[in-house]
Amino acid sequence: MTKVKVAIVGYGNIGKYSLQAVKASKDLELVGVVRRAESLGKKSPELEGVKVVANIDDLGKVDVAILALPSREIPAAAKSLIEKGI
């Protein structure tokens, strides 16, 4: 079975629950979490072993991105990801 490669963009409450859901799913593979550059140094135990980057391009192939951002940021983020083929 080919797994769908998933990135989580944003790591607030929705991002944390999305991480749990992706990890629990047998047909999804978490390729990483995209956070603001200033948040990259913050340690979160649940992100142990997870690739954390500031730019989704640093994750390689991504099939699906879960946008766990403030709602006002979603339209611009979605447009950018769609242009990348995600």
Side-chain angles (χ1 to χ4, degrees):
M1 166 178 44
T2 303
K3 293 186 176 188
V4 176
K5 296 180 181 294
V6 178
I8 299 171
V9 181
Y11 198 67
N13 289 329
I14 301 299
K16 290 176 184 178
Y17 290 114
S18 296
L19 177 74
Q20 292 174 5
V22 171
K23 284 184 169 183
S25 178
K26 294 179 181 170
D27 58 346
L28 301 177
E29 175 187 349
L30 180 67
V31 294
V33 173
V34 180
R35 299 185 76 180
R36 294 183 309 251
E38 61 269 14
S39 297
L40 290 179
K42 295 181 182 176
K43 301 290 182 191
S44 297
E46 62 274 6
L47 290 176
E48 187 70 35
V50 174
K51 188 170 185 178
V52 181
V53 298
N55 187 317
I56 198 165
D57 295 332
D58 296 334
L59 293 177
K61 179 162 176 25
V62 174
D63 298 316
V64 173
I66 297 172
L67 299 180
L69 301 166
S71 58
R72 67 185 173 280
E73 295 178 20
I74 297 291
K79 183 178 188 285
S80 172
L81 292 171
I82 289 169
E83 289 171 350
K84 294 175 187 281
I86 299 173

